[in-house]
Amino acid sequence: MQRAIGSIEVPFLQNGVVVRQDHAAWRHLAAKWRIRGDTVYLNHGSFGLPPIDVQEALHRWRHRLDEQPVDFFVRQLPELLHSARGRLAKFLNTSADNLIFQENATEAMNVVARSIELESGDEILLTNHEYGAVERVWDRECRRSRAVLRVAELPGFSTAPPSREQITESIVSQFSDRTRLLVVSHITSATAWIMPIKDLVEAASKRGILICIDGPHSPAQIPLNLDETGCDFYTASLHKWLSAPLGSGFLYAHPRVAERIRPNRLSWGVLPPRTPTAWRDEFEWMGTRDPSAFLTVPTAIEMMESVGLDAFRERTHSLACFAQQQIATVTGRPPMTSPTNFGSMVTCLLPQGDSDTLQATLWNDHGIEVPVWEFCGERLIRVSCHLYTQEEHIRRLTEALRQEL
C-alpha cells in the first residue's frame, strides 16, 4: 500500500516490514533537514532537529519582531499567540482554553509542582522510569512542603518484557490514602516504553488521585487526544518528535483543575490596559521574551501533517523495529519490550561495559550520535528514528557495535 505525498510515492509497510527497498521517497523527505555531513543522527529523542521550513519560519518571526518590537508586542502578539495556541489545540484534540505555551516540558512540570498545595505527610508518586529532572522537581517540592516522594519500581526487563498489566499493577499497588498526585511518563525516556496511561488514569481517578502526565516524547510520535486521556495535567516539549523549534512546549490543565495553576514568576500576565481574566492569561506576558518558537509551532504541525502522521509513524516505527532486530543479532540480548509498546524510538539491551566510553567511541570513531547509558543495572542504547533516518544508518550503527562490543 502506498500514499502519494505531492508527486512522491511513499512506501508503506506490511506486518512491520518495508514493502520495497526503493527509499527514494523517504530520501526526498530527508532533504527537508539540514544535518551535518559527518553525522548519523539517531538521537532525535534528546534534541530534535527542526526541518528547513521550520527554521526559516522561525527566522521570519524573529525578523518581524526585531524590525518593530513595540508594534509586535503590544498590538500583534496577543492575537498571534491566540492563533498559534488554537492550532496546537486542534492538533492535540482539546480546547485552546486548556493550554498555555511553555519553553519545554521541564518548565511546565515546575509550574505544576508549584501549583499543587501539599501538606506534611502528603505523598507524590513517581516511577523509577521517570526523567531525572522530573524527579528533582518533585523532590524539591516535597522537601519544601514536607510531603513524601515515593517511587514505584516497574517490573524488570533483563530477561523478558513486562506486560502492560504488570506495569499498571506495579504502580497502582503503591497508591495509598495519602497519595495526592501520580506523575508518570506517557513514553519513558530511558526505556522508550509507551505507558498504559488509560488504565492508570482510570485507577487514579477512582481513588481521587490527581495525575500529571509527562509527555515530551508523545506529540507526533503517537496519536494524542488530550481531552480523552482524562488526566489533570499534561506537560510536553514540541522540539522533539514534532520538530518544532527549541524553546517550544506546552502545559495542559483540565478545566476541573485549571484555576489551581499559578506562574512560577509573576509579571503583567497580559499587557495593560488588559488585565488577566483566566488562568492562562497569567502566562501570556512573563516579561520581555522572544515568542518566535511558539509562533512557529503551526509551521511544524503543517509540515508533519503534509507528510501524513500515519505515514510518519509507520515508517519510523518500522525503522525502530529494524534497529531492535539488528542490534539483537549483535548482542544476543532479548528485547526489552514488544513492538506494540514502542513507537519511533526503541531502547535495547547491551552487554555490560562502560556506557560513556562506548557512546564517545560511537561518535568519535564512527560519527554516530546515539545515547548509551546505565539504567536499572543494565547498559542500554536508545535509537530514535525520524523522517531523515535511513536503513543504512541503522546498519552503520549495527556494524559499529559489532566492532566495539
Side-chain angles (χ1 to χ4, degrees):
M1 181 169 63
Q2 296 179 342
R3 173 181 294 173
I5 300 178
S7 60
I8 304 296
E9 292 295 325
V10 175
F12 263 61
L13 311 157
Q14 293 177 354
N15 301 320
V17 178
V18 178
V19 175
R20 59 185 174 89
Q21 296 301 315
D22 178 10
H23 298 298
W26 297 116
R27 291 183 186 279
H28 173 81
L29 289 173
K32 291 180 176 290
W33 275 263
R34 188 182 293 116
I35 302 174
R36 231 169 65 187
D38 65 345
T39 302
V40 172
Y41 199 76
L42 298 174
N43 198 11
H44 201 97
S46 290
F47 304 106
L49 303 173
I52 295 170
D53 289 352
V54 171
Q55 294 179 40
E56 291 176 345
L58 178 68
H59 294 155
R60 287 195 298 271
W61 283 118
R62 285 177 173 161
H63 177 71
R64 184 167 165 181
L65 162 62
D66 289 342
E67 67 182 2
Q68 223 288 29
V70 173
D71 184 49
F72 186 87
F73 280 133
V74 176
R75 304 181 187 96
Q76 300 180 35
L77 185 59
E79 181 55 35
L80 291 173
L81 285 174
H82 176 76
S83 176
R85 198 173 71 248
R87 184 67 182 91
L88 176 61
K90 182 180 179 182
F91 178 73
L92 299 171
N93 295 289
T94 189
S95 166
D97 292 343
N98 302 332
L99 293 176
I100 56 172
F101 280 117
Q102 293 283 274
E103 279 73 10
N104 49 55
T106 302
E107 182 77 13
M109 187 63 71
N110 274 273
V111 171
V112 175
R114 286 303 176 94
S115 300
I116 299 294
E117 296 182 3
L118 297 174
E119 298 178 356
S120 178
D122 286 348
E123 294 178 358
I124 302 296
L125 181 62
L126 280 66
T127 81
N128 65 325
H129 285 228
E130 300 314 309
Y131 189 54
V134 171
E135 184 173 353
R136 293 191 72 205
V137 167
W138 287 102
D139 179 67
R140 183 182 70 172
E141 195 59 30
C142 286
R143 290 175 183 274
R144 185 188 68 82
S145 61
R146 297 185 178 180
V148 178
L149 182 63
R150 298 188 61 199
V151 178
E153 298 283 332
L154 300 190
F157 49 79
S158 296
T159 57
S163 68
R164 296 175 69 83
E165 292 75 18
Q166 289 173 320
I167 292 173
T168 300
E169 177 57 25
S170 69
I171 298 172
V172 173
S173 65
Q174 299 303 307
F175 289 172
S176 78
D177 293 340
R178 299 295 295 174
T179 307
R180 297 292 175 260
L181 176 73
L182 169 64
V183 181
V184 64
S185 297
H186 203 156
I187 300 176
T188 59
S189 178
T191 48
W193 292 354
I194 300 174
M195 295 289 278
I197 292 300
K198 180 179 180 181
D199 295 338
L200 291 171
V201 170
E202 182 179 340
S205 298
K206 287 180 178 178
R207 295 288 294 269
I209 298 170
L210 298 174
I211 182 167
C212 177
I213 300 175
D214 186 37
H217 289 287
S218 301
Q221 184 177 175
I222 59 175
L224 190 55
N225 188 318
L226 288 182
D227 284 349
E228 288 188 357
T229 65
C231 68
D232 298 285
F233 311 102
Y234 198 107
T235 66
S237 299
L238 299 172
H239 69 262
K240 294 182 185 285
W241 301 97
L242 187 61
S243 290
L246 288 169
S248 60
F250 70 85
L251 168 62
Y252 162 89
H254 193 282
R256 62 176 172 261
V257 295
E259 293 304 322
R260 300 187 187 192
I261 295 294
R262 299 290 183 270
N264 287 334
R265 60 184 188 274
L266 197 62
S267 184
W268 287 105
V270 292
L271 283 177
R274 299 165 60 211
T275 57
T277 59
W279 73 277
R280 63 189 178 278
D281 292 342
E282 291 289 358
F283 295 85
E284 182 177 303
W285 187 267
M286 304 291 291
T288 305
R289 62 177 176 175
D290 183 356
S292 299
F294 301 156
L295 301 178
T296 308
V297 167
T299 301
I301 294 173
E302 289 161 12
M303 184 271 173
M304 293 297 291
E305 289 183 341
S306 72
V307 172
L309 289 166
D310 288 343
F312 162 74
R313 289 167 187 147
E314 290 191 58
R315 164 66 174 176
T316 55
H317 180 66
S318 174
L319 287 168
C321 289
F322 182 63
Q324 185 187 55
Q325 295 161 5
Q326 291 297 299
I327 292 172
T329 65
V330 176
T331 66
R333 301 296 305 274
M336 288 174 51
T337 189
S338 69
T340 57
N341 278 353
F342 64 82
S344 304
M345 67 176 181
V346 62
T347 300
C348 302
L349 291 160
L350 295 176
Q352 293 293 344
D354 186 271
S355 298
D356 292 341
T357 299
L358 178 59
Q359 181 169 338
T361 300
L362 289 172
W363 169 245
N364 293 328
D365 295 352
H366 302 277
I368 300 172
E369 194 70 78
V370 65
V372 181
W373 45 53
E374 302 290 329
F375 187 76
C376 291
E378 291 283 0
R379 183 165 64 156
L380 308 178
I381 186 168
R382 191 188 71 187
V383 180
S384 299
C385 305
H386 212 277
L387 288 172
Y388 52 79
T389 310
Q390 306 295 323
E391 283 192 9
E392 65 191 65
H393 298 154
I394 307 299
R395 292 193 180 95
R396 279 185 59 178
L397 172 63
T398 304
E399 182 56 32
L401 289 173
R402 198 182 308 277
Q403 294 178 32
E404 304 299 339
L405 292 179

